[in-house]
Amino acid sequence: MRVLITGMGGELGSRVAQLLEDDPRVEEVSGLDFVPPRRRLRRSRFRRVDLSGLDAAADFVAEMAPEVVLHLGVYEPHARSSPVGAAERTANTSVAVLGAAARTGTLRRVVVRSGIEVYGRGRGRPSVPDELVPPEPSSLFGRICLEAEQVAAAMSRRLDVPLTTLRLAPVVGSHVPSPLGRVLRLPIVPVSIVSDPPFCMVHVEDAAAAFAAVAHGDRGGVLNVVAPGAATPWQAVRLGGRVPFPILGRGWEVARRFAELAGAPVPTHVVELLRRGRTADGARARSIIGLHDMRDAQAILAELFEWASVTPIASAQTRVA
Amino acid sequence: MGVGDAHRQRADAGRVMAASGVVRPSLPGGPGSAYGIDLDRVGPTEPVVTRLRRRVQGRYPLDAFGGDPLLEDAMEPALSALSTFVVEGEERIPEIGAATFVVRRRPGPGDPLIVRSMIRAVRRRRARIVGYPDLPPVGPILRRLGYVRFKGEDLAVCLRSGHLAIVPLGSSLRSDKVGSASVPVLWGAIGFPIIPVVVRGGYAGPLGLPVGPHRITVGAPLDLDLIPRDPLSAAELGASAREAVQALLDDTA
């Protein structure tokens, strides 16, 4: 089986590539991204491409003739791209790469990375949406995810190949460049003064295991990949030993500016999460994919906060001397 | 996909998962495993100091709805001190797995609360009450105490996770009548046992909390196979639930 991974440069994409490299059923793993992979890959081929090199990306895909496409090139605002850059990269990668893969005639299966942000948090929406709740995104990242889903769905219909959509909860891990993780690790964390809503997460290892598992399946459909349990902003602050900074109404805009100055830009979907929460039902994915040993929300937060602080090289050398 | 189709798919998924035993409370690594605390079963009471330390350090589990089982446990003694009850048909309360209790509701929030206390006492299981005002500060507090919103989608998720849920019918001022059932909410319970419950006696004390001795009757589960799953006959489902509770009330009068 030949597998193409878009977004292979990210923490999730690199980890999925590693898992597939270890799978003897996978003959070839290739990938694309605008940044190099974050992990050591032994037998994967990687092509670095950005918005200006989409023709080269299409040629790379045509040459590889993938049988399975794992479309992880769905970029979260302020993870590694600006909000505008994330939207543009996702849209262009989706169209260029999936279009090129469709033209090869070898495609048998598509898996697309999406997020539970597609459900939105508008008034009257279910608190814990399952896969059958119609998407109604209320943030930029939600709209980015939905657009990627729609492009993949259109291609799947045209070619009559199964499409699996994995809607991930916010992906958090000690080394993941996640906007939510950055905010929660700030010394002073903005929290809502009027509510303490629950939010869920998924560990990057569990998310990668889900992609590796569905790459082989022959069924399509939508699955929410969500760790069991939930946490709240106030609870996370206490668990991490941080200082809460209660905020009301327009104060969130000011807090976003300060957080950005502190090196943790907060995109709108993370503000939405901190103010209104974000949960989804992941029971179906856990039973279908067999993800029974997922790390729960509390374990994910504990790992996030136990991560050792970065030691500057210069000061470490001084100590050794 | 229409709303009816979504409801049917959700119900089918629930039945398959419940039948396969894949989704059940107390899964290893599943909901409630954080810090060794089960979200479904009531465990031994921790010392006050341990409980306070958990609060300060943030080391307590929450479910996807934001329910905090330890906080719920802390509140329970106050409620159970107010009221006592005698139960008929307690063998109909499931030891494991999900079920919906359809409860007659007299004015005030007391009847669902007394049924929840009864389930805790009889089976040592926590039950979710469906329906709370979604306004701060009451809504967030009740959510933390194990309430879920009055929506079929949320009820379905709650049941698929293997929990017990309590759905109050509409309130009725007449003591010999029950109110109507919310059809859009009860759709979420299809695929799982629906059990009628009637509470008699006692009275509503401060804040509508149940006070005094109560007599609780748990009826036989509705036979769902007799209820058509055609969306057009959704009203029949609500009527069946209401009639079952009314029949139980008439029988126990």
Side-chain angles (χ1 to χ4, degrees):
Chain A
M1 186 169 77
R2 293 185 303 279
V3 181
L4 172 73
I5 303 173
T6 65
M8 193 196 248
E11 185 74 19
L12 181 59
S14 305
R15 184 63 188 134
V16 173
Q18 276 186 332
L19 293 175
L20 292 177
E21 281 186 344
D22 292 340
D23 188 339
R25 292 172 293 178
V26 178
E27 299 159 24
E28 190 181 334
V29 185
S30 301
L32 300 157
D33 209 339
F34 74 102
V35 286
R38 289 170 63 89
R39 292 165 184 257
R40 186 178 176 196
L41 300 175
R42 293 169 196 283
R43 65 180 180 98
S44 298
R45 289 167 62 201
F46 176 76
R47 175 69 61 91
R48 189 173 175 180
V49 288
D50 203 359
L51 294 171
S52 58
L54 290 173
D55 288 343
D59 293 343
F60 179 72
V61 174
E63 180 198 327
M64 188 211 164
E67 292 168 281
V68 176
V69 172
L70 303 186
H71 183 29
L72 277 74
V74 177
Y75 299 98
E76 184 175 2
H78 284 313
R80 291 181 303 159
S81 305
S82 66
V84 174
E88 206 175 342
R89 274 199 185 95
T90 304
N92 289 324
T93 308
S94 302
V95 172
V97 175
L98 293 180
R103 286 192 294 275
T104 60
T106 55
L107 199 61
R108 288 195 287 119
R109 178 167 184 72
V110 179
V111 181
V112 63
R113 182 257 199 261
S114 183
I116 60 169
E117 287 80 4
V118 297
Y119 297 116
R121 296 302 291 176
R123 198 158 258 287
R125 303 286 291 163
S127 311
V128 186
D130 62 13
E131 292 85 351
L132 299 173
V133 169
E136 203 178 306
S138 49
S139 64
L140 174 63
F141 186 45
R143 288 190 289 276
I144 289 174
C145 289
L146 187 59
E147 215 173 285
E149 282 188 21
Q150 286 167 343
V151 171
M155 195 197 74
S156 158
R157 276 196 303 273
R158 210 180 74 194
L159 299 182
D160 196 23
V161 293
L163 165 69
T164 303
T165 303
L166 297 186
R167 291 179 178 156
L168 307 183
V171 181
V172 177
S174 52
H175 297 88
V176 179
S178 137
L180 175 63
R182 278 192 214 117
V183 170
L184 295 179
R185 293 187 79 236
L186 285 172
I188 301 170
V189 181
V191 288
S192 171
I193 203 168
V194 290
S195 65
D196 191 24
F199 63 88
C200 57
M201 293 162 284
V202 64
H203 193 276
V204 65
E205 286 291 328
D206 295 324
F211 275 99
V214 297
H216 290 292
D218 53 1
R219 287 175 55 182
V222 180
L223 296 170
N224 294 334
V225 182
V226 177
T232 67
W234 282 90
Q235 183 191 24
V237 164
R238 287 202 294 275
L239 203 58
R242 267 58 182 174
V243 178
F245 188 74
I247 291 174
L248 187 67
R250 291 183 181 276
W252 280 100
E253 266 310 306
V254 181
R256 282 182 70 190
R257 304 278 176 230
F258 276 106
E260 194 160 357
L261 285 174
V266 191
T268 51
H269 65 280
V270 173
V271 173
E272 189 179 70
L273 177 148
L274 294 169
R275 296 179 70 179
R276 298 184 191 166
R278 174 159 288 121
T279 52
D281 177 35
R284 191 160 170 252
R286 286 197 285 273
S287 70
I288 289 177
I289 307 176
L291 299 171
H292 296 305
D293 297 321
M294 292 179 88
R295 292 157 185 82
D296 61 39
Q298 310 298 325
I300 294 170
L301 278 182
E303 185 194 303
L304 185 74
F305 291 124
E306 280 167 12
W307 186 35
S309 298
V310 176
T311 309
I313 292 173
S315 54
Q317 283 170 342
T318 311
R319 275 205 303 276
V320 170
Chain B
M1 184 170 61
V3 173
D5 295 332
H7 279 310
R8 270 202 302 280
Q9 285 188 30
R10 194 172 279 124
D12 290 344
R15 269 194 303 282
V16 169
M17 292 163 84
S20 68
V22 167
V23 176
R24 58 183 189 277
S26 314
L27 276 175
S33 66
Y35 310 117
I37 293 159
D38 194 321
L39 291 189
D40 185 62
R41 302 227 164 248
V42 181
T45 308
E46 293 181 328
V48 176
V49 177
T50 310
R51 281 189 269 170
L52 287 175
R53 194 182 298 136
R54 278 187 183 283
R55 291 290 133 192
V56 172
Q57 295 176 344
R59 296 174 60 80
Y60 50 88
L62 292 174
D63 67 10
F65 293 96
D68 183 338
L70 295 183
L71 195 61
E72 190 187 318
D73 290 355
M75 296 296 181
E76 187 60 27
L79 184 62
S80 46
L82 284 175
S83 56
T84 55
F85 44 75
V86 178
V87 192
E88 292 168 32
E90 64 180 66
E91 69 282 356
R92 290 168 174 152
I93 303 170
E95 290 268 8
I96 56 164
T100 303
F101 294 89
V102 186
V103 182
R104 175 179 80 123
R105 193 178 70 184
R106 294 169 291 181
D111 287 347
L113 278 172
I114 197 77
V115 172
R116 183 163 85 169
S117 284
M118 180 272 291
I119 293 169
R120 279 179 75 97
V122 169
R123 287 282 181 260
R124 303 293 293 164
R125 293 187 68 185
R126 297 186 177 91
R128 310 305 165 92
I129 299 176
V130 179
Y132 66 83
D134 194 13
L135 287 171
V138 179
I141 292 170
L142 292 179
R143 187 177 61 205
R144 194 56 67 82
L145 292 174
Y147 282 65
V148 298
R149 285 173 66 189
F150 203 61
K151 294 187 83 72
E153 292 93 339
D154 285 350
L155 173 61
V157 169
C158 185
L159 294 170
R160 276 211 303 274
S161 301
H163 295 300
L164 299 175
I166 299 168
V167 179
L169 297 174
S171 68
S172 171
L173 291 173
R174 286 181 57 179
S175 62
D176 59 340
K177 292 286 176 197
V178 300
S180 56
S182 171
V183 174
V185 172
L186 276 184
W187 262 112
I190 293 181
F192 299 93
I194 297 181
I195 302 168
V197 178
V198 163
V199 182
R200 290 179 160 279
Y203 60 93
L207 301 172
L209 294 173
V211 176
H214 294 80
R215 187 156 63 93
I216 303 173
T217 309
V218 182
L222 299 186
D223 192 349
L224 277 178
D225 287 340
L226 298 176
I227 299 172
R229 293 185 173 91
D230 180 356
L232 294 175
S233 52
E236 204 174 324
L237 170 63
S240 299
R242 184 184 168 280
E243 282 165 14
V245 178
Q246 182 69 59
L248 200 61
L249 184 66
D250 296 341
D251 288 348
T252 56

